[in-house]
Amino acid sequence: MSTNKPIYACMRSIGAYAPPKVLTNADLEKMVDTSDEWIVKRTGIRERRIADADTATSDLAVEAARDAISRAGIEKEEIDLVLCATVTPDYFNMPATACVISHKLGIKNVQAFDISAACSGFVYGLSIARAFVEAGIKRNVLLIGAEKFSSIVDYTDRSTCILFGDGAGAAIISATEDRDEGIVDIHASADGTYADFLMTPAPGSVHPASCEVIEQGLQYIKMKGNETFKLAVKTLTRDVREILLKNGIEADAIDHFVPHQANYRIIKAVGDALKLKEEQIILTVHKYGNTSAASIPMAINEIYEEGRLRYGDLMLLDTFGGGLTWASALLPFAGRN
Ligand code: ACO
């Protein structure tokens, strides 16, 4: 009989980075036919951060990762897997941004790869990190969600350019023998029926790079916003109810509900359905907009830096994005503040 103790995966630390340049609603009013009033009323967004032309997704990621590594109290040599969730990689399609990040951080000879699940990427990545750790294969995973979303936004399209921003978040997912520190549960799912709700049509095998691709603007994000909105509210409400029910946890036991920051109205609808109190709901959408895979770790980092996230606090994460993909997770924070 094996005497090995079970291993759990825990979130040992968090870090994030937002580039300094701010793009306000007033700035967008000068670029497209929109208004601060419309944007705030329909989305809750007031401003977002935009990276400089010579800053890559990996550069944002490296800043966030450095904080996560030092806050976990580990050396970079102890990291044995690097995962980067992104749909705005440094290069389409190789090398993986995770490889570029590993090189920039001086992390050598470890497995590194990207995860493509749009806004759900960080929670998808959490499920992969958890599987590696709980199987006893890896001990310290550097999990990153990073996006230079401005690189695929058409700043003449008012229906999308008001929504997105750039940024990165990172966490160290470590092995622990303490069950109370471990990730409780993760749901992650997808439905390709709705693939055309949110897509960048090119470049890819369907439309390889060409002059026509550029002329038609196929390299930019296209979104069926209203259809996505309705499906997001329905799917997320069902998903978070299911994960709580499955684990016998009441909504009022959640210390921090950390939703994907796409639209204040989606967050409010899900929060209302769960009867969550205002102080349970983490909101950053007003200052960063939708940063896709970076949005959840950036939001966790926000409460960490405000001193509101303490060891043992129970978090409920939920997210929805291109694919379509969606995911939720229940976990305590296992870092020290
Ligand atoms: N300023 C002013 N008017 C606008 C703007 C704008 N920026 N954008 C659209 N409008 C207009 C439309 O043209 C339309 O006008 P019409 O009625 O004359 O045709 C009207 O406003 C309403 O448009 P809708 O698209 O129906 O507006 P809606 O209330 O749905 O809000 C939004 C749009 C904000 C995009 C919303 O649908 C949304 O948030 N969708 C979900 C986004 C999401 O969650 N995506 C998933 C994650 S993203 C990822 O995975 C990368």
Side-chain angles (χ1 to χ4, degrees), residues 28 32-36 38-39 41-45 87 117-120 147 149 152 157-164 197-199 221 223-230 232-233 236 260-266 290-293 319-325:
L28 286 161
V32 289
D33 180 16
T34 192
S35 66
D36 173 58
W38 191 96
I39 301 171
K41 198 168 152 216
R42 298 288 181 120
T43 71
I45 302 168
V87 285
C119 304
S120 308
E147 305 280 12
F149 225 87
I152 57 164
D157 174 9
R158 70 175 183 176
S159 70
T160 53
C161 74
I162 56 145
L163 299 172
F164 297 99
F197 275 27
L198 250 165
M199 69 179 343
I221 183 164
M223 181 168 74
K224 293 185 179 172
N226 197 263
E227 291 90 330
T228 307
F229 182 95
K230 288 179 196 150
V233 171
L236 288 175
H260 172 48
Q261 308 284 319
N263 186 319
Y264 172 70
R265 291 187 293 140
I266 298 176
N290 180 349
T291 56
S292 185
T319 184
F320 189 87
L324 292 174
T325 54

Side-chain angles (χ1 to χ4, degrees), residues 43-45 47-48 119-120 162-165 236 256-268 280-303 316-321:
T43 71
I45 302 168
E47 57 187 45
R48 64 291 289 143
C119 304
S120 308
I162 56 145
L163 299 172
F164 297 99
L236 288 175
H256 309 288
F257 173 52
V258 190
H260 172 48
Q261 308 284 319
N263 186 319
Y264 172 70
R265 291 187 293 140
I266 298 176
I267 297 170
K268 173 103 174 56
Q280 288 175 284
I281 303 173
I282 308 311
L283 282 174
T284 59
V285 69
H286 56 290
K287 53 196 282 199
Y288 300 126
N290 180 349
T291 56
S292 185
S295 121
I296 285 189
M298 286 176 80
I300 299 173
N301 184 69
E302 199 78 6
I303 51 170
L316 171 61
L317 318 181
D318 95 289
T319 184
F320 189 87

Side-chain angles (χ1 to χ4, degrees), residues 92-285:
F92 287 92
N93 293 86
M94 61 181 151
T97 305
C99 298
V100 180
I101 295 166
S102 301
H103 171 66
K104 287 183 177 174
L105 287 170
I107 297 172
K108 295 189 197 311
N109 300 320
V110 305
Q111 192 175 357
F113 61 93
D114 287 358
I115 298 150
S116 174
C119 304
S120 308
F122 184 80
V123 185
Y124 263 55
L126 192 62
S127 73
I128 297 167
R130 180 195 191 194
F132 269 103
V133 169
E134 294 193 350
I137 300 167
K138 308 288 181 191
R139 288 199 63 81
N140 291 298
V141 181
L142 172 57
L143 170 63
I144 300 159
E147 305 280 12
K148 187 181 179 184
F149 225 87
S150 59
S151 65
I152 57 164
V153 166
D154 176 359
Y155 283 97
T156 65
D157 174 9
R158 70 175 183 176
S159 70
T160 53
C161 74
I162 56 145
L163 299 172
F164 297 99
D166 301 337
I172 296 292
I173 310 302
S174 293
T176 178
E177 288 181 358
D178 183 348
R179 190 181 184 150
D180 292 340
E181 291 188 333
I183 294 168
V184 178
D185 201 4
I186 303 177
H187 284 184
S189 200
D191 188 346
T193 315
Y194 306 104
D196 66 339
F197 275 27
L198 250 165
M199 69 179 343
T200 45
S205 63
V206 175
H207 301 291
S210 68
C211 293
E212 289 75 36
V213 157
I214 304 294
E215 276 160 20
Q216 293 168 34
L218 298 183
Q219 73 277 26
Y220 294 128
I221 183 164
K222 319 279 177 209
M223 181 168 74
K224 293 185 179 172
N226 197 263
E227 291 90 330
T228 307
F229 182 95
K230 288 179 196 150
L231 213 54
V233 171
K234 203 169 92 185
T235 309
L236 288 175
T237 305
R238 190 187 62 224
D239 204 48
V240 288
R241 277 197 176 123
E242 273 175 17
I243 198 168
L244 289 174
L245 190 69
K246 186 176 156 217
N247 293 283
I249 293 173
E250 298 291 335
D252 60 10
I254 302 299
D255 294 301
H256 309 288
F257 173 52
V258 190
H260 172 48
Q261 308 284 319
N263 186 319
Y264 172 70
R265 291 187 293 140
I266 298 176
I267 297 170
K268 173 103 174 56
V270 178
D272 286 351
L274 290 184
K275 297 194 171 58
L276 291 173
K277 296 187 200 81
E278 219 170 272
E279 58 268 26
Q280 288 175 284
I281 303 173
I282 308 311
L283 282 174
T284 59
V285 69

Side-chain angles (χ1 to χ4, degrees), residues 15-36:
Y17 177 74
K21 192 169 142 197
V22 176
L23 183 69
T24 65
N25 291 350
D27 296 328
L28 286 161
E29 282 177 350
K30 294 178 202 133
M31 296 158 68
V32 289
D33 180 16
T34 192
S35 66
D36 173 58

